[in-house]
Amino acid sequence: MRDSMLTADVPLGPFEGTKITVYSAKAKNARLHFRRECGQLRTANVTTAEVPLNADVVERLCSGCAEWGPRVRPSSGLGIFMHALGGAGLLHQLQAYAEPDEDVYWSQDEVRAAAELLHSKRGAPDEDEEDDGRWEARREAEELQEQVLSHWRHAAQSLHRAQAPIAHFPWLTDWAQPQVSAKESYLEVLRAEAALFVEPSGLVIAAAAATLEKPSLPTDDPAFAVLGNSSRISTGLNALWRSWQYSAERGWEGPESRSISRYDLVHGIRPNKKGHAEALEGAARLIQSWEDKACAAAAATDSTPTVWVTARLPEDAEEPSRGGAPDALDSLDRWTLGVMVTWTVTADWSRRTLTLRVPALVADRLLAPSSSLTCEPGGSEAVATEAGPQGQQDSVRPGVFDDTPVFDRQPVTPAHLRALRNFSYAADQVYIVFSTSGGAEVLPLEVIERRLAKGWLGVIVAGALDLPESVISPWTKEVLPAPEADDDLSSGHGGARQDGHFGADLGLAAGARDVARRTYRERDKEHNLRLLAMARGVPDLRTLDTGRSSTLPVAVWEGLLAPAPLDLTPFRPPSADRWRSGSSLPLGILGQAQIYAANADPKFEGKGHSPLCRHTRDRGLAASDDLLTVADLLARDDWDWCSKCGGYAIRRLTDTQLSYYRAAHRLHDIAGQLDDERTHRVPVDPDALIKQLEELAAWEPGGHEGCDWDGSWRWYEVIRDLRRRAERKRHVAS
């Protein structure tokens, strides 16, 4: 039997009775399956049913489906709960490190003997000694020490990974308590074994060594003349001091383990060179003097453990339910681990909180800002008063995420988001939320967490995976098989203004195609398109930056922003420069189109860059980037843009904005054809131009049909003027 199988005795709490889809053969007592393609479902006549999730259903599950759990959206409440149980989650952790297994090959007597051997004074090896048995025994003792410490670390991490889900889902507490107690008892056995290897006095001396100030170094001592001039001697002795102090403050071993540092001073010098031996002896004297100072500082304080300290371990870099997540204890130095195994009184591994009773000198180092642990004075009272996800109100249940209709949705809490991060591999970067203070918004998960810390009250409406399939599926089918003809869409010039593809790379459709094109893994394409659909509704895209480069994938940023600079010639006033001379067309609905740039202000040193420019450190928008509009671009001519990226990126134009952009360029192109002052003119067809002008006169932005829109008077004035000129040309030609 697999050790992470869902069994009928596992309490389902508020998720009991949740409707799930199962498959089975047509036999009365046939096994149930969560997956239609389950390898144990060997029949062509498969029945599908929707049943409530309960103990009877779990009892009838095949072993494979009991291992995988029901097929539900991983970001739903039930999905989070099942992911916390399965895989390397609670069900597996309850059976791991509960008693000695095949990896434990040592006995208590062997551990005690190895510890006594390592505590004995380490002498210098005798080159003439033929009996290597003593050194082989010490090497084996050191290996056993590392094995015991490693086993204790892994058992502690396993206990945390078992207690963390229980803290989030409190209905599991009574059911899991016997197995948790067994894990706690075995962890205490391992801690006691590990503590045999640690010398408490060595920990105090190490704490004292960390407080020592750099002493005056004897740079004029003739013993160090072999190192070179005074500058080299000073550099070498400073490096020797740093090496010794670093080694002394990070362990508990005696001075013998650090005496080898003296060889660092003569690294690169031939052993037979005159002065080599004198330099080694001088280094040994220096190291011994530093050892004496550390021992004296330790002896000057009381080494009795009387000070209470509450220590909090660093969080894992990944979710505790993942088997590949790194162990936070692995990042701690040996001194900190020695303190933990020696002076821990109580431990709450679900919150990674330990209560220690340590000597005063050790407490000072633990409470220092440079400590590997987050510590504060005080004992178990501080742990007891800490708020945590213990109450039923803060546990993940139906109604918090997408298990119920929006009308029944419950307010989200920080504990809910911790569970989402810890136990769902599909935590989305952005969510649709609703609150009375902000209405419906699209927010990154980190922003929601910050708001909750300030008392925000709101609900999560949907994540990217929750968007309606009936809307997303037709759109993704249209986008993903992008036609080859669209690969070369550009904002071109000249005749390109008259075709249907002009400016297409600035529009929403091109943004969706860019997301699909620039997402390299097929399984991520639909998800990135879902993120794109959600982010399009954000008023200011800079709010999606949370200080993490992974808030949105780069492909999604490229779908939101168009890297191609705008051609604003039609909207510029006429001038003598025929390349920049415009038609003074109104910006209209283009005026408020958003422009994003880094370092846009010309008064500051450096060029302005697009958020997608490869010269920027992290591609994508940052909260510190500048937000401009198209109207701002036309308001001044002293912009200092990057020549590679154009200096800015424009937010993808809506269909109406793109339509107006194309219409303005068509109108400007007609004005150029009718310009009699051009040096090189081509023959024109006045009738064709008049027909095009009639089409442009009928153009109206969506939502403004039959009424004036911003700039409409100037738009129609330019069309009337061009029509008069075209009619004059037709009259002259006739």
Side-chain angles (χ1 to χ4, degrees), residues 568-569 571-572 585 587 629-637 639:
L568 299 179
T569 305
F571 311 102
R572 300 184 187 280
L585 294 179
L587 281 174
T629 63
V630 173
D632 295 329
L633 290 184
L634 281 179
R636 57 193 302 175
D637 293 325
W639 302 108

Side-chain angles (χ1 to χ4, degrees), residues 522-636:
E522 288 294 328
R523 63 182 181 181
D524 293 337
K525 288 186 176 182
E526 181 178 333
H527 185 254
N528 283 350
L529 286 172
R530 287 172 175 265
L531 290 174
L532 173 67
M534 294 183 69
R536 280 177 170 175
V538 177
D540 184 351
L541 295 179
R542 296 177 299 175
T543 60
L544 296 178
D545 173 60
T546 60
R548 297 184 180 182
S549 59
S550 60
T551 303
L552 287 178
V554 174
V556 178
W557 285 120
E558 293 180 343
L560 292 169
L561 302 172
L566 287 171
D567 181 2
L568 299 179
T569 305
F571 311 102
R572 300 184 187 280
S575 69
D577 184 355
R578 68 187 185 91
W579 299 109
R580 292 176 56 85
S581 179
S583 300
S584 292
L585 294 179
L587 281 174
I589 56 176
L590 273 180
Q592 296 306 310
Q594 294 179 346
I595 301 292
Y596 293 94
N599 195 32
D601 194 336
K603 292 186 295 183
F604 290 96
E605 184 178 0
K607 294 185 177 294
H609 292 276
S610 162
L612 303 178
C613 181
R614 296 188 181 274
H615 291 169
T616 57
R617 184 176 59 181
D618 295 319
R619 300 179 68 196
L621 270 178
S624 59
D625 286 342
D626 298 312
L627 173 60
L628 310 171
T629 63
V630 173
D632 295 329
L633 290 184
L634 281 179
R636 57 193 302 175

Side-chain angles (χ1 to χ4, degrees), residues 121-142:
K121 185 174 181 180
R122 186 194 302 266
D126 187 353
E127 295 179 358
D128 299 329
E129 185 177 3
E130 297 180 357
D131 184 12
D132 294 333
R134 176 167 169 264
W135 302 107
E136 181 65 22
R138 181 175 287 275
R139 185 187 63 80
E140 292 178 354
E142 290 174 348

Side-chain angles (χ1 to χ4, degrees), residues 646-692:
Y648 62 86
I650 182 171
R651 187 166 185 168
R652 298 279 178 175
L653 301 180
T654 65
D655 292 343
T656 302
Q657 289 174 330
L658 181 58
S659 174
Y660 181 67
Y661 181 71
R662 288 170 170 169
H665 274 272
R666 288 180 62 192
L667 192 58
H668 177 65
D669 184 65
I670 294 173
Q673 296 181 57
L674 294 174
D675 187 1
D676 294 333
E677 297 181 0
R678 278 197 174 184
T679 306
H680 302 285
R681 289 180 294 169
V682 296
V684 297
D685 182 357
D687 292 329
L689 294 182
I690 291 174
K691 182 178 180 181
Q692 292 180 36

Side-chain angles (χ1 to χ4, degrees), residues 114-115 118-119 122 138-153 193-207 245-254 257-258 328-344 356 362 365-366 370-373:
L118 293 179
H119 290 169
R122 186 194 302 266
R138 181 175 287 275
R139 185 187 63 80
E140 292 178 354
E142 290 174 348
E143 289 181 357
L144 180 57
Q145 174 184 254
E146 295 306 316
Q147 287 288 335
V148 173
L149 284 171
S150 175
H151 212 64
W152 169 76
R153 290 198 309 268
E193 290 181 347
L196 292 175
F197 291 100
V198 182
E199 298 181 68
S201 60
L203 295 173
V204 178
I205 293 174
Q245 189 176 46
Y246 179 82
S247 177
E249 69 184 17
R250 294 178 67 84
W252 59 79
E253 295 83 358
S257 65
R258 297 183 287 274
L329 295 177
D330 289 339
S331 64
L332 302 179
D333 58 73
R334 287 174 63 82
W335 183 85
T336 305
L337 292 175
V339 169
M340 291 170 59
V341 300
T342 303
W343 289 306
T344 294
L356 309 173
V362 174
R365 181 174 174 185
L366 288 174
S370 59
S371 174
S372 302
L373 306 175

Side-chain angles (χ1 to χ4, degrees), residues 688-730:
L689 294 182
I690 291 174
K691 182 178 180 181
Q692 292 180 36
L693 290 171
E694 291 175 349
E695 294 174 359
L696 293 173
W699 187 91
E700 291 180 326
H704 294 78
E705 293 81 356
C707 60
D708 291 338
W709 43 275
D710 184 23
S712 60
W713 180 86
R714 173 60 183 165
W715 176 263
Y716 296 132
E717 181 184 43
V718 172
I719 291 177
R720 286 193 296 269
D721 178 64
L722 293 176
R723 181 173 183 129
R724 285 193 295 268
R725 291 160 61 183
E727 289 176 346
R728 282 199 301 269
K729 282 185 176 292
R730 183 173 60 179

